[in-house]
Amino acid sequence: MRKLLLAGIAGMMLAINTGCLVPIYSGDRTRRAQELIWTSEDLSLVGRYSCEWDKSFILMADIDFSGYTGLEFKQIGTDPSHPFTGIFNGNDHTLSHLTTTQYNDNAGIFGYVAQPGQVQDLYIDNPIILTPQGYDTKGGLVGYNDGGTISGCHITFLASNEGFKGGLVGINDGLGTISDCSSSGSLR
C-alpha cells in the first residue's frame, strides 16, 4: 500500500513539474498508447500541453463547442519550435461551433503541423477562427502545414479577418500532403 501511495505522489509530482498529462488508464497498453478524446475539455487539454503534441489521439465522440468563449480553446501546435507531430484520428466525428481568438500567426484548431504529423478523418462544422490585424496565416483546421499529412478531413465554414486564409489549411508548405479532403463555405 505504501509503495502504491508513493508511486501516486511521484506521478503527480512529475505532472506538476513537467506540465505534461499523465494518462490515468488501467494496464491496457492500447489505451495508454492512444489518448482518447471524449469531450471539449479533453481536446482543449491537449492544446495546453505541448509535450503531448507528438502522441496519438483518437476522437471518440462528436463535440459541440457552443459553450466555449474565444480564449478558452488552446490550439494544438503553434510554430516551428512547437509543432504538432503526432497523429490525430478524428474517427469520422465532428467538431462543431468552435469560436476561438488566437494571437499568433498559424491560427487554426491545429496551428502548426510538421512532419510526421497527421490529422485524419475529421469533420469541422462552422468554426470561427478570429485573429487580430497583423496575424497572417489562418485555416479552419490547420494554420500552417509544414510536411504533415491531412487526409479525409472536411469543413464547412465562414471565416473573416485579413491574412492568408484557407478553408481547411492556411498554408500547405514543404512536403505537406492534403488528400481526400473538402471545404465549403465563404471567406470574407
Side-chain angles (χ1 to χ4, degrees), residues 19 21 37 39-53 57 68 72-78 82 84 88 102 108-111:
L21 298 174
I37 307 296
T39 66
S40 55
E41 290 80 16
D42 291 343
L43 187 59
S44 192
L45 274 176
V46 174
R48 292 184 191 280
Y49 299 102
S50 61
C51 57
E52 295 291 309
W53 294 347
F57 301 92
Y68 267 66
E72 290 176 337
F73 180 79
K74 301 296 182 196
Q75 75 183 81
I76 302 166
T78 54
H82 302 93
F84 177 75
F88 188 92
Q102 298 177 0
I109 294 171
F110 293 83

Side-chain angles (χ1 to χ4, degrees), residues 44-96:
S44 192
L45 274 176
V46 174
R48 292 184 191 280
Y49 299 102
S50 61
C51 57
E52 295 291 309
W53 294 347
D54 62 347
K55 308 267 187 305
S56 293
F57 301 92
I58 299 176
L59 187 61
M60 300 302 293
D62 294 341
I63 297 177
D64 186 345
F65 284 91
S66 295
Y68 267 66
T69 62
L71 295 175
E72 290 176 337
F73 180 79
K74 301 296 182 196
Q75 75 183 81
I76 302 166
T78 54
D79 56 48
S81 298
H82 302 93
F84 177 75
T85 57
I87 298 171
F88 188 92
N89 181 350
N91 207 16
D92 290 323
H93 286 291
T94 301
L95 303 178
S96 59

Side-chain angles (χ1 to χ4, degrees), residues 18 53 106:
T18 64
W53 294 347
N106 313 320

Side-chain angles (χ1 to χ4, degrees), residues 54-182:
D54 62 347
K55 308 267 187 305
S56 293
F57 301 92
I58 299 176
L59 187 61
M60 300 302 293
D62 294 341
I63 297 177
D64 186 345
F65 284 91
S66 295
Y68 267 66
T69 62
L71 295 175
E72 290 176 337
F73 180 79
K74 301 296 182 196
Q75 75 183 81
I76 302 166
T78 54
D79 56 48
S81 298
H82 302 93
F84 177 75
T85 57
I87 298 171
F88 188 92
N89 181 350
N91 207 16
D92 290 323
H93 286 291
T94 301
L95 303 178
S96 59
H97 306 106
L98 174 64
T99 297
T100 180
T101 302
Q102 298 177 0
Y103 293 91
N104 59 327
D105 290 333
N106 313 320
I109 294 171
F110 293 83
Y112 198 98
V113 176
Q115 194 173 30
Q118 298 176 35
V119 181
Q120 60 196 32
D121 302 324
L122 181 61
Y123 292 83
I124 310 293
D125 183 37
N126 198 28
I128 301 174
I129 311 293
L130 301 171
T131 55
Q133 197 77 21
Y135 294 99
D136 290 333
T137 309
K138 177 173 31 182
L141 178 61
V142 176
Y144 198 104
N145 183 25
D146 187 12
T149 301
I150 314 301
S151 62
C153 295
H154 309 278
I155 186 170
T156 56
F157 64 92
L158 174 63
S160 62
N161 293 342
E162 299 301 317
F164 298 106
K165 299 174 219 166
L168 190 68
V169 176
I171 291 180
N172 188 50
D173 201 4
L175 301 173
T177 302
I178 301 173
S179 62
D180 300 320
C181 295
S182 67

